[in-house]
Amino acid sequence: MTDFAIAPPRSQSRAVRIGLRWLLYVILGLFALYYLLPLFVMITTSLKSLEEIRTGDLMALPREVTFDAWKTAWSGACTGIQCDGVKPYFWNSVLIAVPAVLISTLIGAMNGYVVAHWHFRGANIFFALMLFGCFIPFQVVLLPMARVLGLMGIAGTIPGLIFVHVIYGIGFTTLFFRNYYVTIPSELSKAAKVDGAGFLRIFWSIFLPLSLPIIVVSIIWQFTQIWNDFLFGVSFSQAGTQPITVALNNIVNSTTGVKEYNVDMAAAIIAALPTLLVYIVAGKYFIRGLTAGSVKG
Amino acid sequence: MAPILDIKNLYKNYGAVEILKDINVSIEQGEFLVLVGPSGCGKSTLLNCIAGLEPITRGELHIGGRNMTDVSPKNRDIAMVFQSYALYPTMTVAKNITFGMKVRGVDQATQQEKLQQVARQLQIEQLLNRRPGQLSGGQRQRVAMGRALVRDPKLFLFDEPLSNLDAKLRVEMRTEIKELHQRLGASMVYVTHDQIEAMTLATKIVVMKGGVIQQIGSPAEIYNRPANLFVADFMGNPAMNLIPAKTRANGVGTKIEIARKDGAPIVLTDTQNRNLPEDVILGVRPEDIGEPDHRASQTAQAAECMVDIVEPAGADTFVVMQLGGKHVTARLHSETSAQPGKRQQLAFDLGKVSYFAPDTGQRLN
Ligand SMILES: Nc1ncnc2c1ncn2[C@@H]1O[C@H](COP(=O)(O)OP(=O)(O)O)[C@@H](O)[C@H]1O
Ligand SMILES: [Mg+2]
């Protein structure tokens, strides 16, 4: 009976709720479309022939799917005078990104561990300076860094670029790990000290095994930064050591002959694939790691 | 033989803040020392100093006759159980227990043998392959104990090891720890804020407040002859009655006058001739106030009091009155006829009373 009495207003509000929900979906759908459109254009264009691009509609699906542009982009496109495609530069990027990501993550973990669990004189100032490092714009360090690389004798080399990215990344990775490790109770390291473990032993046996979520965060963050970097890549490389972002720029900007949009698009997608892959593989750990709290002992 | 633990004039500062002040404690082989005090009084800090996890600011600390000032925790021959248990979350129970031996390079066979021995002792054999996250609070507690026991150290340190357990389990584990101590004959330092734990476990109690030791003594000494008002109030449940009173020496003994809300003051006679100031705080345990027929003691003195509240508690019944402007609790038999709002004959046993100076709080007798 009472149900009956209050039924009309309730069903009304329910209709409103459903309406609002649909409106929300439509808006979200439109946004998704808007953001996916460039990707759609890139993929379809990369699968078309030059002929079709010139005559056809930008939005249309390819009439005839061809992977020629991808082949050219990978191993035949010209970057200036050389015509080896993006392949060598792709491997350059791998050779730069993988060690730089691993080294900066490891150093960040170690720094975070020290700042969070080994209170030394000036620890707070040290950490504040590290944080400050996160906010220094790339452009500011270009000239001093060039000088340092020159003095170290690794200017224009891949180890040089690794060094630059490690230095620039440590601020961020230290921040990640420090914030994660302060949530780990200090009694844990005290127990290990009484058990006889030293500085490194406690790090390897107790802290690192607990760190998977934050390691994933650090790897995704660092990989994205380093793989997508253009400024350091273009400033501190020479012929033969350029990363893929620089090569892509050169392909797109080389003005000899006709503009091969399909090749440009294919090269751009190849350049973006690894970061995409990292997100898909490790994405769910990323969110989990960012929100991970303390270890319930 | 040198004491197992000997602390002399120990001070500990954090920055400019003095946390521990002039600590002097020593224990012999096989003693069970309990550090008790309200939270924040520096018990954990003192324990960390003993363990070497915190450097001491001044003073000396010897373990087994050796000066420990520059000795790291791992070389102090101690084992420690922490309040949060501090089990290594990614390791199994077995790995948790053997970690210390592994770090010290003990061979596999010995590790396994000791592990099995400790697991049997603590009845955690079926848990060895689990991780701490898969254990209940009580099981974690046992594992933490196991990690300490397996070391077979010169000195055990416990930092409130039972405070995270529920009441029933806490009592059970308390008994087990006591039994363990008796069986092993080991030396232990045990921190707690729970005075009952202190009374039941200790062979020697150290009562602390604000980083200063208030009293050191056996449980009986601490209970019967508290050194000051703080100890008197802190140890015992219900707490000791601390009643403002006036005294008057009269040749054969001491007259003690306690004001009452309604009617003339109660006058009791302490037959011992004590040299007391006029104003004192009289300390009487609730069990030293009872019905006259139950207290046929020579030193008992009867007086009629107005009962305000009656609280049956199973074996005993507590009654609360107003004396000297304070709530005073008496512990009566469960079959007492005391009624709230009625007058009741009560006997005060003056044989075991304490007298304190109202201004300094120090014991007078
Ligand atoms: N690392 C530290 N730095 C500064 N002050 C501390 C530190 N550790 C503890 N204290 C202070 O020392 C006092 C005693 O702490 P603690 O020994 O943990 O007390 P308890 O164990 O008796 O509860 C507290 O007031 C606490 O705030
Ligand atoms: Mg404590």
Side-chain angles (χ1 to χ4, degrees):
Chain A
M1 276 311 195
T2 46
D3 264 5
F4 187 70
I6 58 166
R10 215 169 87 187
S11 68
Q12 230 176 40
S13 75
R14 209 179 130 188
V16 171
R17 259 203 337 262
I18 292 176
L20 281 175
R21 165 99 358 141
W22 274 103
L23 188 66
L24 184 69
Y25 284 149
V26 169
I27 293 173
L28 286 177
L30 284 174
F31 270 107
L33 264 181
Y34 180 73
Y35 280 109
L36 283 174
L37 207 57
L39 184 64
F40 171 81
V41 172
M42 282 174 78
I43 291 173
T44 50
T45 306
S46 76
L47 296 174
K48 290 173 185 172
S49 64
L50 258 187
E51 177 62 29
E52 193 183 333
I53 293 171
R54 225 176 290 119
T55 56
D57 181 2
L58 182 70
M59 291 296 181
L61 287 169
R63 262 172 280 144
E64 205 180 323
V65 173
T66 163
F67 289 96
D68 288 349
W70 284 74
K71 262 179 241 147
T72 315
W74 181 245
S75 57
C78 297
T79 54
I81 45 165
Q82 266 175 318
C83 291
D84 300 329
V86 295
K87 189 168 115 188
Y89 306 99
F90 186 92
W91 292 120
N92 281 349
S93 274
V94 172
L95 286 178
I96 294 164
V98 172
V101 167
L102 294 183
I103 294 171
S104 59
T105 297
L106 193 67
I107 295 178
M110 192 73 102
N111 280 349
Y113 164 65
V114 171
V115 173
H117 282 269
W118 294 79
H119 306 284
F120 59 94
R121 210 170 264 284
N124 285 334
I125 291 175
F126 172 80
F127 183 60
L129 289 176
M130 277 283 171
L131 262 186
F132 184 65
C134 298
F135 297 108
I136 299 175
F138 277 30
Q139 292 80 351
V140 173
V141 299
L142 282 182
L143 284 177
M145 187 60 86
R147 179 103 179 97
V148 170
L149 290 177
L151 286 175
M152 290 173 69
I154 50 174
T157 65
I158 285 185
L161 276 167
I162 293 174
F163 176 78
V164 173
H165 285 299
V166 167
I167 294 292
Y168 208 81
I170 286 175
F172 293 93
T173 55
T174 300
L175 175 68
F176 294 151
F177 280 94
R178 182 261 177 198
N179 285 355
Y180 186 76
Y181 286 153
V182 288
T183 67
I184 293 179
S186 67
E187 287 196 344
L188 215 53
S189 57
K190 285 184 182 169
K193 279 183 213 168
V194 172
D195 259 343
F199 176 84
L200 279 179
R201 186 55 172 253
I202 297 174
F203 180 62
W204 278 113
S205 301
I206 315 279
F207 281 79
L208 263 196
L210 278 172
S211 312
L212 183 68
I214 204 67
I215 288 175
V216 171
V217 168
S218 174
I219 285 180
I220 292 188
W221 174 268
Q222 280 297 90
F223 188 83
T224 315
Q225 293 294 310
I226 296 172
W227 188 274
N228 289 341
D229 160 70
F230 178 75
L231 189 60
F232 286 157
V234 79
S235 311
F236 301 131
S237 65
Q238 59 196 28
T241 61
Q242 286 145 333
I244 192 163
T245 44
V246 176
L248 180 64
N249 177 63
N250 291 348
I251 288 175
V252 175
N253 286 344
S254 45
T255 45
T256 47
V258 227
K259 198 127 191 75
E260 296 178 297
Y261 287 110
N262 50 359
V263 174
D264 293 353
M265 294 301 178
I269 296 172
I270 292 173
L273 269 182
T275 37
L276 214 60
L277 204 71
V278 167
Y279 268 102
I280 291 169
V281 171
K284 75 172 180 214
Y285 294 101
F286 187 63
I287 303 298
R288 221 181 278 166
L290 281 179
T291 57
S294 76
V295 189
K296 293 235 171 68
Chain B
M1 212 173 84
I4 282 288
L5 174 67
D6 195 13
I7 299 174
K8 287 209 187 85
N9 309 108
L10 181 146
Y11 286 78
K12 169 71 188 171
N13 296 7
Y14 280 121
V17 190
E18 216 166 52
I19 304 291
L20 296 174
K21 293 165 207 132
D22 198 17
I23 303 291
N24 288 284
V25 185
S26 82
I27 66 172
E28 302 296 328
Q29 164 65 39
E31 269 196 290
F32 198 128
L33 180 84
V34 174
L35 299 173
V36 65
S39 80
C41 73
K43 307 178 299 284
S44 297
T45 306
L46 180 51
L47 205 64
N48 282 331
C49 288
I50 297 173
L53 294 166
E54 290 287 351
I56 62 181
T57 309
R58 248 184 301 150
E60 276 179 42
L61 199 155
H62 295 257
I63 295 177
R66 221 154 50 96
N67 190 339
M68 287 289 144
T69 309
D70 295 314
V71 180
S72 69
K74 65 174 176 188
N75 295 326
R76 293 193 176 200
D77 202 4
I78 49 159
M80 190 156 171
V81 176
F82 294 87
Q83 183 169 7
S84 68
Y85 313 138
L87 301 178
Y88 311 128
T90 55
M91 298 184 199
T92 62
V93 168
K95 291 254 169 61
N96 261 282
I97 294 176
T98 55
F99 181 71
M101 290 189 282
K102 195 174 144 202
V103 169
R104 285 158 204 269
V106 174
D107 66 88
Q108 274 290 327
T110 316
Q111 282 187 29
Q112 286 310 312
E113 188 189 321
K114 288 200 143 193
L115 171 65
Q116 293 306 330
Q117 188 188 331
V118 164
R120 215 174 316 120
Q121 206 171 14
L122 291 168
Q123 295 155 26
I124 49 172
E125 290 138 304
Q126 72 288 0
L127 306 177
L128 290 183
N129 291 319
R130 296 217 204 143
R131 276 168 209 276
Q134 300 165 301
L135 303 178
S136 70
Q139 290 170 331
R140 285 180 203 177
Q141 216 284 325
R142 279 171 186 277
V143 176
M145 297 278 296
R147 197 167 59 179
L149 282 182
V150 81
R151 297 272 314 281
D152 200 10
K154 202 173 278 161
L155 183 63
F156 284 96
L157 306 175
F158 297 91
D159 192 355
E160 311 215 16
L162 305 184
S163 63
N164 285 335
L165 301 179
D166 61 56
K168 187 160 177 293
L169 207 52
R170 191 151 60 213
V171 174
E172 279 174 33
M173 282 309 293
R174 200 167 74 197
T175 312
E176 268 191 54
I177 290 178
K178 182 147 190 165
E179 195 211 9
L180 202 71
H181 171 249
Q182 286 170 358
R183 190 161 28 131
L184 298 177
S187 316
M188 301 181 168
V189 179
Y190 186 106
V191 163
T192 181
H193 65 265
D194 179 347
Q195 51 89 21
I196 297 181
E197 245 172 59
M199 294 294 294
T200 47
L201 288 172
T203 59
K204 189 191 248 181
I205 295 180
V206 174
V207 185
M208 289 177 62
K209 177 196 167 197
V212 178
I213 292 183
Q214 305 294 308
Q215 187 173 5
I216 302 182
S218 69
E221 277 164 8
I222 300 268
Y223 191 75
N224 294 325
R225 297 182 54 81
N228 56 36
L229 283 173
F230 173 78
V231 178
D233 188 46
F234 190 76
M235 303 299 289
N237 187 28
M240 182 184 263
N241 297 302
L242 299 168
I243 314 164
K246 295 222 181 286
T247 69
R248 202 158 14 91
N250 72 345
V252 289
T254 314
K255 286 245 180 277
I256 299 158
E257 216 177 274
I258 304 168
R260 258 192 298 194
K261 204 168 44 182
D262 43 358
I266 296 179
V267 180
L268 305 168
T269 309
D270 188 335
T271 51
Q272 275 172 281
N273 203 349
R274 302 177 200 269
N275 192 11
L276 296 172
E278 195 188 339
D279 283 302
V280 296
I281 306 268
L282 176 71
V284 195
R285 293 273 173 208
E287 60 268 28
D288 293 331
I289 310 175
E291 281 148 309
D293 43 334
H294 289 291
R295 305 282 152 151
S297 155
Q298 292 238 310
T299 45
Q301 303 256 321
E304 209 175 51
C305 304
M306 172 66 93
V307 171
D308 291 336
I309 300 166
V310 176
E311 297 174 336
D316 303 305
T317 294
F318 296 104
V319 302
V320 182
M321 314 150 271
Q322 277 267 340
L323 291 177
K326 291 276 159 91
H327 285 293
V328 171
T329 306
R331 178 180 245 152
L332 305 187
H333 237 260
S334 55
E335 297 101 47
T336 179
S337 57
Q339 299 268 325
K342 293 247 166 73
R343 290 191 165 271
Q344 172 79 29
Q345 271 290 321
L346 291 174
F348 292 73
D349 189 341
L350 295 184
K352 292 202 252 165
V353 288
S354 305
Y355 298 96
F356 302 99
D359 46 354
T360 62
Q362 293 304 312
R363 184 182 186 85
L364 295 168
N365 62 318

